[in-house]
Amino acid sequence: MTIQTRRERERAERERLIVSAARELAETEGWDAVTTRRLAAEIEYSQPVLYSHFKDKGAIMAAVAVEGCAVLAVELRTARTAAKGTREALTAIGETYTSFGRRRPALYDAMFTHIVDLPFATPEAPAPLQAAFAEISRAVEPIAAQGEDPGLLTETYWAGLHGLVTLMRSGRLPERAHEQRLALLIAHFAAGVS
C-alpha cells in the first residue's frame, strides 16, 4: 500500500467518524448540540482537523443527510419490493417513510427540514437522494393517469408524507390518528387501483 493510498483511507475514515459522531450527537441531544468544538472533543481530533474535512456545521449536516438518504432508500426498497400489488406498494412506502421520520427525527431533520447545501430534484443531486426519491417514484408511477406527470405526482405524494410527519412531530396533528391520516392519503392517491 502506498503512503498516498493509506492517507486517503485514513482521511475517509476520519470523515466517516465525524459524520457518525454528528449524527449520534444530534439523535441524542438535537442539532443545537452539534458544534465543531463538541465534535472535536467527541472524536478526539482538533477543530482544525474537522475544518480540513468540512467547511462548517452545515457541510457536516449535508453529509449526514446524504448518509440518511442512503439508509432511507434501502428501507423504502425493502418495503416496496416485499409488497404485492400497486396499492400495497404505495402503502408500504408511506408507512416506511413516516416510520423513518418518527424513529429518526434528527436524521430526518437533516435530510428534509434543515437548510443544507445539497441539490435536490436535479441531476446533480447525490446518488442516495436520487435513490430515495426513485423508490417513492416506483410506487407512485403505476397510479399516474394517462398524460399525468409521474414526477410531479411523486413529489405530491412525498409532500403529503412529509407534511404528515412534520405536523405530527411538531404536535400540530395528534399522533393517535396518524394511521388513519396515512390511510386517507393512500386511498386518495390509489383510488381505483388494486
Side-chain angles (χ1 to χ4, degrees), residues 162-184:
H162 175 72
L164 288 176
V165 170
T166 303
L167 291 169
M168 184 180 53
R169 282 187 43 222
S170 68
R172 287 164 176 81
L173 291 177
E175 192 166 338
R176 70 183 181 289
H178 170 70
E179 282 74 23
Q180 291 167 293
R181 283 187 214 95
L182 183 58
L184 283 170

Side-chain angles (χ1 to χ4, degrees), residues 70-90:
V71 172
L72 178 61
V74 169
E75 289 187 23
L76 292 173
R77 183 177 312 109
T78 300
R80 182 186 56 77
T81 57
K84 311 267 187 280
T86 301
R87 182 184 279 274
E88 193 175 315
L90 202 60

